[in-house]
Amino acid sequence: MAVYTGPVQDLVDELGKLPGIGPKSAQRIAFHLLKLPRDDALRLAQVITEAKARVSWCERCFNVASEALCDICRDDRRDPSVICVVEEPRDVVAVEKTREYKGRYHVLGGAMNPLEGVGAEQLRVRELLARLADEAVTEVILCTNPNVEGETTALYLAKMLQDVPIKVTRIASGLPVGGDLEYADELTLGRAIEGRRTV
Amino acid sequence: MAVYTGPVQDLVDELGKLPGIGPKSAQRIAFHLLKLPRDDALRLAQVITEAKARVSWCERCFNVASEALCDICRDDRRDPSVICVVEEPRDVVAVEKTREYKGRYHVLGGAMNPLEGVGAEQLRVRELLARLADEAVTEVILCTNPNVEGETTALYLAKMLQDVPIKVTRIASGLPVGGDLEYADELTLGRAIEGRRTV
């Protein structure tokens, strides 16, 4: 039903294509943008254009980068002997926020999902193997999500790397800090018990 | 913590200013836009720019319009003797979707909210009174939201119009269609009983 005048409908339609934005939110954001002072609304258009023009992918690890290599790959204080393998650039941010990790990354660009036709060929697995051959890497941390796709991907990579003389580790699954035993699902609690450590 | 490279952080920041978009969603949408083909992402920037350039407010009713008057005010099949007073342009859309209403609108631009300094002067009340003086209006439907601000605004307008020889009506409050008596709050159920009609 074409209730909106042309450009408004276009705006609602494009906003509705964004992840997590339903029709109601798209409408709300569209009218918010229409109500905003001109410059404030155009700033959003500008940063989108700017980001698409200036941001690309790091040639080495496929993190977001505004030069050939990303900020982390260019930082020579980072330990080049450890590679943390993640699914997406946003996972790099999540790991960085812990301030626990000083190595480098490798962004796969997703996780294996046979139902959606995503196999190892669709991910940057070949590029990871090339790095392991070229760089002096001693440990690979498999830091994919602890869900079905992420676990499948981690298992696949672990199997693929079993003959390479490199330590391959997987991040721990268990109860979240501040969590409650009573409310934990059996799988998570099972993993927490399985992964118990001596105190 | 400046984990993102400049233009990515700018994009996350601007997206985070949109209503209903928290930091996590902003990040998710930003990486979605970065991953999209260039043209698809730039289309969003274009429609924002386009909408800001072409969309303004109707001179008569303050709905969104791409000409001096909005589509509804320009449509001479609409009944000019009834004005439906709403808070925002999105409320026009909500009423239009019912296909029950054939009159015109007046968009106040918000609702009275003394705590946030929004009084009648901040709304397009003066413009409504001018229309009632100029146009041959026989009924004003107060269609502001059934919440505190909307009710206050409706009461204020009803009082202001009590000496004008125009029928002033308020939309009904009651249980939503498909709703459940058991789960209705007392206020809504009270209103439903108060507003009962003979069958």
Side-chain angles (χ1 to χ4, degrees):
Chain A
M1 193 171 169
V3 180
Y4 298 107
T5 185
V8 182
Q9 188 63 51
D10 293 345
L11 184 55
V12 173
D13 289 347
E14 282 301 320
L15 288 168
K17 291 180 190 166
L18 298 176
I21 307 289
K24 285 274 170 191
S25 304
Q27 190 176 311
R28 192 160 152 230
I29 296 173
F31 283 115
H32 169 83
L33 287 170
L34 289 172
K35 254 191 151 179
L36 271 189
R38 198 186 162 74
D39 287 350
D40 291 347
L42 292 186
R43 199 172 311 125
L44 176 58
Q46 282 158 8
V47 293
I48 294 170
T49 311
E50 182 89 344
K52 290 306 280 188
R54 286 182 48 200
V55 178
S56 56
W57 312 111
C58 174
E59 288 175 3
R60 186 190 284 156
C61 77
F62 303 96
N63 187 11
V64 287
S66 44
E67 301 184 35
L69 293 180
C70 73
D71 295 351
I72 294 168
C73 283
R74 283 210 317 278
D75 185 346
D76 52 19
R77 287 165 306 177
R78 306 292 298 222
D79 181 357
S81 72
V82 190
I83 292 183
C84 177
V85 178
V86 294
E87 295 179 18
E88 300 287 352
R90 59 171 176 264
D91 302 328
V92 171
V93 180
V95 176
E96 284 297 289
K97 279 187 179 158
T98 67
R99 296 169 184 260
E100 287 286 332
Y101 181 65
K102 296 294 166 221
R104 289 191 179 148
Y105 292 91
H106 188 83
V107 180
L108 292 171
M112 290 169 79
N113 188 342
L115 288 177
E116 294 193 359
V118 183
E121 318 76 49
Q122 277 73 44
L123 305 175
R124 299 191 191 102
V125 172
R126 207 175 330 120
E127 290 85 345
L128 175 63
L129 298 178
R131 286 183 68 181
L132 297 181
D134 286 353
E135 301 171 24
V137 177
T138 57
E139 181 177 358
V140 168
I141 305 174
L142 300 173
C143 196
T144 52
N145 286 322
N147 56 22
V148 176
E149 294 80 16
E151 291 288 350
T152 310
T153 312
L155 271 175
Y156 174 87
L157 290 175
K159 206 167 175 190
M160 177 149 263
L161 298 176
Q162 66 189 358
D163 299 328
V164 186
I166 290 176
K167 187 171 156 194
V168 179
T169 56
R170 174 88 177 110
I171 51 162
S173 273
L175 266 64
V177 178
D180 211 324
L181 239 112
E182 188 183 358
Y183 298 114
D185 63 289
E186 314 88 75
L187 263 176
T188 303
L189 188 51
R191 289 286 190 89
I193 293 169
E194 189 191 327
R196 69 193 179 280
R197 293 165 61 177
T198 46
V199 191
Chain B
M1 193 171 169
V3 180
Y4 298 107
T5 183
V8 181
Q9 188 64 51
D10 293 346
L11 185 54
V12 173
D13 289 347
E14 282 300 319
L15 288 167
K17 290 179 190 168
L18 298 175
I21 308 287
K24 286 271 170 193
S25 304
Q27 191 176 310
R28 192 159 152 229
I29 295 173
F31 283 115
H32 169 83
L33 287 171
L34 289 172
K35 253 192 152 179
L36 272 188
R38 197 186 164 76
D39 287 351
D40 291 348
L42 292 186
R43 200 172 310 125
L44 176 59
Q46 281 156 10
V47 295
I48 294 170
T49 312
E50 182 90 342
K52 290 307 278 187
R54 287 182 49 200
V55 179
S56 57
W57 313 109
C58 173
E59 288 176 1
R60 186 190 282 157
C61 77
F62 303 98
N63 186 11
V64 286
S66 44
E67 302 185 35
L69 293 180
C70 72
D71 294 351
I72 295 169
C73 283
R74 283 209 318 277
D75 185 346
D76 51 21
R77 289 165 304 179
R78 306 291 300 221
D79 181 356
S81 72
V82 190
I83 291 183
C84 178
V85 177
V86 296
E87 294 179 17
E88 299 286 353
R90 61 173 175 262
D91 302 328
V92 172
V93 181
V95 176
E96 284 298 289
K97 279 187 179 158
T98 67
R99 297 170 184 262
E100 287 286 332
Y101 181 67
K102 296 295 166 219
R104 289 192 178 146
Y105 292 90
H106 189 84
V107 180
L108 292 172
M112 289 169 78
N113 189 341
L115 288 178
E116 294 192 2
V118 183
E121 318 77 49
Q122 277 74 44
L123 305 175
R124 297 189 193 103
V125 172
R126 209 177 326 121
E127 290 85 346
L128 174 64
L129 298 179
R131 287 183 68 182
L132 298 181
D134 286 351
E135 301 171 25
V137 177
T138 57
E139 181 177 357
V140 168
I141 304 174
L142 300 173
C143 197
T144 51
N145 287 322
N147 55 22
V148 177
E149 294 80 15
E151 291 288 350
T152 309
T153 312
L155 272 176
Y156 174 86
L157 291 175
K159 205 166 177 192
M160 178 148 263
L161 299 175
Q162 66 189 359
D163 299 327
V164 186
I166 291 175
K167 189 172 154 194
V168 178
T169 55
R170 174 86 176 112
I171 51 162
S173 273
L175 264 64
V177 178
D180 211 323
L181 240 113
E182 190 183 356
Y183 299 114
D185 61 290
E186 312 91 76
L187 263 177
T188 303
L189 189 51
R191 288 285 189 90
I193 294 171
E194 188 190 330
R196 70 194 178 279
R197 295 164 61 177
T198 48
V199 191

